[in-house]
Amino acid sequence: MRDSIKTSIFGIMAFYFVLECAIYFGFAIPAGFTVRFLPLFLALTIGFHGLLLFMLLFFSADFTIEATGERLTKVNAANKITLFRVTTLPTLLVLILAAKEYRIRIPLLALIVLVFISDFADGYISRKHGQVTKVGRMMDSASDYSLLVVLSVVFYYFKLLPLWFFALVLGRLFIQAVFMGILIMIKRHIEPKTTMMGKVAVASIMVLYAIEVGRLVFSLPQSWPFTVAEWLAGAIVAASVVDKIIAFCRELRVATTQKTDEE
């Protein structure tokens, strides 16, 4: 059974590597930047896919339906959608950089919208059809934060985000990573948990970034509606930082108590 899930992981990762190459060339050949960005694309895509493949194989035992404990023999539909979103990140980064000089903004916007939609689709499918897995929750959380890091850096590069919002988002993600690292050291395993405030914060950032992509595509100047959207999203992210600190303190207290009882 373990060999079958590993074979499925290899197969789906190979398929997505070919798919990402097809997406890149589908944008690059008509626009004329195939050679210019190809080394960067290959380096990011091969490295990212290799790292992701290693992590998936390492956590292959976590391809288990949480509600029933059933071990999967192949990657299920919900996890495939999540993997699509994760594996698209290097391609998005290269294409957004290329969009500054080449006329690919409208199809790029469609690709970004598709990635955003996949964030809701995998959650819906996993809950509706009972496909929630531990590795799926880990990938979903990691993909959300990875997407936010990539888009935050690129949007700041394009001057679509003010410095204070860029610093707030990266600070929030840094705090999340530090807290998770501390809990992993104490618990000796990964147990991804999200709060409602955290989900709202991620959703608000993604909505703002979708708005900013629209501003980039249609070459709209900065105006008060965009400023209001930035401040609203910023307020939600700031509130989520406070919520994350409170949740971490609660988790830390529980984890410390459990470790003391075991000793």
Side-chain angles (χ1 to χ4, degrees), residues 110-131:
L111 178 60
I112 292 175
V113 169
L114 179 62
V115 172
F116 283 161
I117 291 174
S118 73
D119 186 38
F120 299 98
D122 59 1
Y124 173 78
I125 291 175
S126 63
R127 289 187 297 270
K128 181 176 178 60
H129 299 284
Q131 296 185 5

Side-chain angles (χ1 to χ4, degrees), residues 139-241:
M139 287 193 299
D140 186 61
S141 179
S143 68
D144 286 343
Y145 292 120
S146 299
L147 179 61
L148 291 181
V149 169
V150 170
L151 292 182
S152 296
V153 172
V154 173
F155 281 19
Y156 182 68
Y157 170 76
F158 276 111
K159 297 183 174 21
L160 292 173
L161 293 177
L163 178 59
W164 67 266
F165 189 87
F166 175 69
L168 179 62
V169 172
L170 291 193
R172 201 284 188 191
L173 298 177
F174 176 76
I175 290 173
Q176 169 83 8
V178 170
F179 287 175
M180 182 178 295
I182 293 173
L183 290 176
I184 289 174
M185 286 190 294
I186 295 175
K187 294 183 175 183
R188 303 297 180 184
H189 67 278
I190 300 177
E191 188 176 344
K193 290 184 178 179
T194 57
T195 63
M196 180 57 66
M197 194 65 220
K199 293 179 180 179
V200 172
V202 171
S204 68
I205 295 172
M206 287 188 172
V207 169
L208 175 64
Y209 285 3
I211 294 173
E212 297 292 5
V213 169
R215 183 160 73 90
L216 174 65
V217 169
F218 297 106
S219 301
L220 300 175
Q222 178 71 15
S223 57
W224 70 264
F226 296 109
T227 302
V228 170
E230 291 168 357
W231 279 101
L232 285 176
I236 294 173
V237 174
S240 75
V241 172

